[in-house]
Amino acid sequence: METVYYIGLINTWVISLDSICNSKTLELVKNNFKSRNDIGNAHVVVTSGKFVPTENKIDLMHESKKYDAIPSYEEVKLAMNSELTDEQIKTAGLTIKQAVSYNLCAAHIDLIEFTPNQANSMLRLLKAKGYSDCKIRVNGNTPDYLIVQLNTSNLRSKE
């Protein structure tokens, strides 16, 4: 007896034969299935012995890198929740410290890797940290950089 499964995620038909068969029989079953069905460019795999599919448990680690273009759920969640990454926070802090060490009046934080929500989160964070004069500069609808005005006279008076 045979059982047929289609795994859409990897465009593959799996034919499971209940009995143990030699490779010649497996190839015959595969060719017979292809000739009886319009499967397009899908793959066909024939197994002998029991095949038990587990829903949502396909091991994609052994698949090709073609799935890397799809962002992980964590990446999407991070962007949608406006959460700043550790790297973004670290870079903003270093940019401000560098501007202070060069005695500049303003720090310019590059927002090229930020989503609009993350850029607004950074603006709110900086204002909460006491940098009241901050502005996001946009290029079209995309955040380009954030200007943080530094009051160097106040910084010096606290030393």
Side-chain angles (χ1 to χ4, degrees):
M1 176 166 180
E2 72 181 41
T3 308
V4 179
Y5 303 94
Y6 178 68
I7 304 171
L9 186 62
I10 57 174
N11 194 24
T12 301
W13 289 92
V14 178
I15 304 167
S16 176
L17 304 175
D18 287 341
S19 59
I20 304 297
C21 303
N22 62 27
S23 60
K24 195 173 197 175
T25 304
L26 295 176
E27 194 63 33
L28 262 165
V29 170
K30 180 179 179 177
N31 292 337
N32 188 24
F33 180 81
K34 284 182 172 182
S35 67
R36 287 184 295 150
N37 299 287
D38 180 23
I39 61 168
N41 63 349
H43 302 283
V44 176
V45 176
V46 181
T47 64
S48 61
K50 200 69 175 161
F51 173 78
V52 181
T54 55
E55 190 175 348
N56 297 327
K57 300 265 184 193
I58 298 168
D59 186 7
L60 292 177
M61 298 306 290
H62 294 94
E63 287 298 309
S64 69
K65 297 287 184 189
K66 68 182 178 181
Y67 298 116
D68 288 348
I70 299 171
S72 72
Y73 175 74
E74 288 303 315
E75 291 171 312
V76 171
K77 184 176 142 187
L78 185 69
M80 296 301 287
N81 287 336
S82 307
E83 292 180 31
L84 297 166
T85 66
D86 292 341
E87 187 66 27
Q88 289 169 328
I89 295 167
K90 180 181 172 184
T91 302
L94 289 173
T95 302
I96 292 170
K97 286 177 182 178
Q98 187 176 33
V100 170
S101 71
Y102 289 126
N103 203 24
L104 299 176
C105 295
H108 293 79
I109 300 171
D110 186 6
L111 299 177
I112 196 75
E113 297 292 324
F114 287 61
T115 66
N117 289 339
Q118 288 172 324
N120 286 321
S121 290
M122 179 61 75
L123 179 67
R124 285 191 303 275
L125 173 66
L126 290 171
K127 287 188 177 195
K129 288 281 196 175
Y131 298 99
S132 58
D133 194 3
C134 302
K135 293 182 181 81
I136 295 175
R137 297 293 182 209
V138 294
N139 186 1
N141 290 333
T142 307
D144 197 19
Y145 60 95
L146 192 144
I147 300 173
V148 182
Q149 294 297 328
L150 305 172
N151 187 348
T152 55
S153 62
N154 284 347
L155 291 173
R156 286 192 192 112
S157 66
K158 291 181 181 178
E159 292 177 356

